[in-house]
């Protein structure tokens, strides 16, 4: 999805030539090379939420699309998404180049804007399940004993580090003599917390280290038998950035006394590590946490990188299921998806605001897949349906509708990007993946976008 800017230009121009004419009753014989936008007319703004280091890039020129080049990190980020948002962790001033496009092409010139980040932050937005709720069994349990086992690379035990263990969390400095191997920096926290096999559980813990760590081991287990455990995972940490490890809806074990075993072996001596936000709860008790994808979406593996739209339709109807009563919206396609404005009179029911997009992306029954995309709406949209399905007939055969990865309904909050994803689903056999979204019930005049489409083979 992120590519060199020349590719983005070519894709956007192709989209203008091949796609946009089908968005309305108007037709165009050819593009006008003299009708390319003038860069001097670009009206773009940058806003920054300094509390979260979140920036938003907006092109204010109506009827045009932007091409942003955000110079941050090892590679510039290139996007044609309007109201583009991102997070920059480190304080500083970062340049953004913006070009402007229309059906005739993209401006030769550009404007340079600046993103000013006042403070440095670190870590994931997601810190795990919510600690301070009545559902958190860890918060209400008793720590009965704490023990340590730190060793050098010869597996000779060294002195215990200075740690003040609290249920709310703790931090300490990795000792100089600690070895570089797993299990050479163990902390065992015994509790009176019990679990049972009749209940499914959620668990999370938030970790941070001042330097890179190859993997802090997190093992939630039976205090009396370390062969009975919920997890024994190594969590890799980047310097200064926090990371949440979590389990969701796992079958319970009959354990009388839970022990949390953490191992910091392999970390750089002298590094401060922090542990916080430990939560164990009954999965049936919803604390309002929205879980992120547990897989990593790798741009280099994105099957939608450089995708083409081979067909699209809309079907917007009123509450009487009459589509002729609705002026169908013009769908504006770009290299990451599309955007449009909700028309008047659309009904409040599911399937009364459909956008169907057929692509040149294939999938196979023999493989498994991960998928994500971003939905954004300028108003609250209480019920948006997303369906990723077979599309080989390009809309001529309704049998395609019965072969799909998913059908999910999500609620959007005004101006808050929503990342929809699924992980490790069995593949379907199709040469033309169709993405069907339904926006029935979304308010008139709302600006809606679908972007950052990503499909990859599950590893």
């Amino acid at each position: 999805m992120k590519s060199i800017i020349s590719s983005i230009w070519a894709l956007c121009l192709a989209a203008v030539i091949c796609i946009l004419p089908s968005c309305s009753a108007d037709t165009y014989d050819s593009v006008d090379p003299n009708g390319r936008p003038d860069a001097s007319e670009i009206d773009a703004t940058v806003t920054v939420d300094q509390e979260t280091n979140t920036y938003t890039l907006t092109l204010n020129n109506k009827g045009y699309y932007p091409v942003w080049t955000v110079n941050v990190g090892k590679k510039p980020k290139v996007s044609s998404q309007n109201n583009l948002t991102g997070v920059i962790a480190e304080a500083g001033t970062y340049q953004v180049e913006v070009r402007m496009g229309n059906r005739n092409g993209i401006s030769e010139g550009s404007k340079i804007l600046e993103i000013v980040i006042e403070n440095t932050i670190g870590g994931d937005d997601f810190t795990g399940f919510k600690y301070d709720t009545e559902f958190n069994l860890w918060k209400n349990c008793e720590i009965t004993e704490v023990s340590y086992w730190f060793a050098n690379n010869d597996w000779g035990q060294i002195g215990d580090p200075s740690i003040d263990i609290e249920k709310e969390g703790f931090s300490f400095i990795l000792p100089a003599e600690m070895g570089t191997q797993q299990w050479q920096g163990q902390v065992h926290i015994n509790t009176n917390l019990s679990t049972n096999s009749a209940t499914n559980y959620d668990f999370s813990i938030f970790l941070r280290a001042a330097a890179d760590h190859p993997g802090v081991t997190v093992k939630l287990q039976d205090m009396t038998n370390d062969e009975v455990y919920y997890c024994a995972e190594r969590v890799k940490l980047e310097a200064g950035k926090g990371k949440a490890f979590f389990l969701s809806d796992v079958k319970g074990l009959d354990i009388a006394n839970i022990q949390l075993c953490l191992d910091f072996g392999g970390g750089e001596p002298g590094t401060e590590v922090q542990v916080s936000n430990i939560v164990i709860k009954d999965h049936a008790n919803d604390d309002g946490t929205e879980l992120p994808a547990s897989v990593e979406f790798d741009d280099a593996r994105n099957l939608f990188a450089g995708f083409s739209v081979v067909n699209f339709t809309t079907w917007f109807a009123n509450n009487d299921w009459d589509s002729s009563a609705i002026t169908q919206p013009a769908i504006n396609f770009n290299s990451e998806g599309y955007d449009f404005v909700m028309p008047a009179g659309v009904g409040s029911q599911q399937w009364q605001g459909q956008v169907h997009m057929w692509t040149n992306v294939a999938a196979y029954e023999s493989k498994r897949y991960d998928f994500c995309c971003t939905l954004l709406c300028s108003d609250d949209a209480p019920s948006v349906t997303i369906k990723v399905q077979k599309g080989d007939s390009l809309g001529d055969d309704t049998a395609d509708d019965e072969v799909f990865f998913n059908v999910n309904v999500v609620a959007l909050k005004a101006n808050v990007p929503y990342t929809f994803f699924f992980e490790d689903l069995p593949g379907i056999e199709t040469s033309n993946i169709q993405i069907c979204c339904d926006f029935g019930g979304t308010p008139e005049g709302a600006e809606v976008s679908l972007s950052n489409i990503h499909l990859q083979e599950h590893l």
Side-chain angles (χ1 to χ4, degrees):
M1 193 154 316
K2 302 180 182 71
S3 60
I4 60 173
I5 193 165
S6 59
S7 297
I8 291 290
W9 293 350
L11 183 59
C12 293
L13 183 58
V16 168
I17 296 172
C18 300
I19 298 173
L20 290 181
S22 65
C23 295
S24 68
D26 296 330
T27 58
Y28 305 96
D29 295 331
S30 64
V31 298
D32 178 7
N34 298 316
R36 294 170 63 183
D38 187 342
S40 65
E41 298 177 355
I42 293 175
D43 177 15
T45 54
V46 177
T47 58
V48 180
D49 181 345
Q50 298 295 348
E51 290 186 2
T52 62
N53 284 24
T54 302
Y55 63 83
T56 302
L57 307 179
T58 303
L59 180 69
N60 300 308
N61 303 80
K62 299 297 182 183
Y64 297 84
Y65 60 87
V67 177
W68 311 103
T69 303
V70 185
N71 293 293
V72 60
K74 294 181 180 180
K75 294 183 178 179
K77 179 180 180 180
V78 179
S79 174
S80 59
Q81 171 70 38
N82 204 8
N83 298 311
L84 178 68
T85 62
V87 176
I88 299 176
E90 295 185 4
T93 299
Y94 301 84
Q95 284 194 341
V96 178
E97 182 181 27
V98 56
R99 288 176 165 81
M100 185 166 67
N102 62 11
R103 62 179 294 271
N104 298 303
I106 299 172
S107 61
E108 290 186 359
S110 63
K111 281 191 174 181
I112 303 297
L113 309 175
E114 291 184 338
I115 302 172
V116 179
I117 303 295
E118 297 176 355
N119 302 295
T120 296
I121 61 171
D124 295 339
D125 292 333
F126 176 72
T127 59
F129 295 98
K130 296 178 181 178
Y131 181 87
D132 195 21
T133 73
E134 61 183 305
F135 305 131
N136 185 6
L137 303 175
W138 179 271
K139 184 186 72 170
N140 298 318
C141 79
E142 178 183 345
I143 294 178
T144 57
E145 184 183 11
V146 178
S147 62
Y148 310 97
W149 198 87
F150 281 70
N152 58 28
N153 271 325
D154 294 325
W155 295 96
Q157 190 171 359
I158 61 176
D160 297 338
S162 175
I163 310 178
D164 185 12
I165 301 292
E166 299 285 348
K167 284 187 295 183
E168 292 81 4
F170 59 91
S171 64
F172 71 105
I173 304 298
L174 298 181
E177 302 87 358
M178 188 186 71
T180 60
Q181 302 173 62
Q182 187 182 28
W183 303 122
Q184 291 181 337
Q186 300 179 41
V187 177
H188 302 263
I189 304 173
N190 297 340
T191 75
N192 66 347
L193 192 160
S194 63
T195 61
N196 64 81
S197 57
T199 302
N200 283 21
Y201 291 92
D202 300 329
F203 165 72
S204 68
I205 184 171
F206 192 74
L207 304 165
R208 190 192 305 272
D212 289 350
H213 196 295
V216 175
T217 303
V218 178
K219 190 174 182 186
L220 191 66
Q221 62 186 26
D222 189 326
M223 185 178 73
T224 61
N225 184 358
D226 60 11
E227 295 301 316
V228 178
Y229 56 87
Y230 285 97
C231 59
E233 302 293 332
R234 298 195 76 186
V235 182
K236 184 178 180 180
L237 302 178
E238 295 183 39
K241 296 183 178 180
K243 187 174 183 64
F245 170 76
F246 69 94
L247 303 174
S248 177
D249 199 16
V250 295
K251 182 174 176 54
L253 302 172
D254 291 317
I255 299 177
N257 296 99
I258 287 286
Q259 179 188 89
L260 176 60
C261 172
L262 302 173
D263 174 69
F264 302 92
E268 183 179 337
T271 297
E272 181 183 21
V273 293
Q274 300 172 348
V275 177
S276 63
N277 207 53
I278 304 170
V279 177
I280 302 173
K281 72 178 188 69
D282 184 336
H283 178 73
N285 295 324
D286 183 6
D287 67 357
T289 300
E290 293 185 4
L291 296 177
S294 58
V295 301
E296 179 179 354
F297 286 93
D298 181 1
D299 285 345
R301 296 161 48 210
N302 185 11
L303 300 175
F304 267 80
F307 80 98
S308 296
V309 177
V310 296
N311 190 34
F312 85 96
T313 62
T314 63
W315 197 86
F316 285 68
N318 61 17
N319 271 322
D320 294 325
W321 298 94
D322 181 4
S323 62
S324 66
I326 305 297
T327 300
Q328 300 296 303
I331 310 299
N332 306 306
F333 291 95
N334 56 57
S335 61
E336 295 190 2
Y338 60 77
D339 60 74
F340 69 96
V341 176
M342 281 294 296
V346 177
S348 59
Q349 302 174 62
Q350 187 182 31
W351 305 123
Q352 291 182 335
Q354 301 177 42
V355 178
H356 301 263
M357 180 177 72
W358 286 267
T359 74
N360 64 339
V361 180
Y364 305 94
E365 287 181 340
S366 60
K367 301 180 184 295
R368 301 183 72 87
Y369 293 91
D370 310 318
F371 173 87
C372 72
C373 66
T374 300
L375 294 160
L376 181 65
C377 185
S378 61
D379 292 88
D380 287 351
S383 183
V384 174
T385 303
I386 179 166
K387 182 180 181 183
V388 183
Q389 66 172 72
K390 181 179 180 180
D392 290 23
S393 72
L394 303 182
D396 292 336
D397 189 347
T398 58
D400 282 356
D401 296 340
E402 302 304 315
V403 182
F404 52 85
F405 282 104
N406 71 292
V407 181
N408 292 86
V409 178
V410 301
L412 307 183
K413 296 180 180 179
N415 298 311
V416 178
Y418 184 98
T419 299
F420 169 81
F421 67 91
F422 61 68
E423 305 171 25
D424 196 17
L425 289 187
I428 61 175
E429 196 72 25
T430 180
S431 298
N432 301 101
I433 287 178
Q434 181 200 157
I435 297 180
C436 169
C437 290
D438 175 72
F439 302 93
T442 301
E444 173 189 349
E447 298 178 2
V448 180
S449 69
L450 170 72
S451 64
N452 298 320
I453 306 171
H454 189 120
L455 180 75
Q456 65 187 25
E457 294 180 19
H458 182 78
L459 296 181

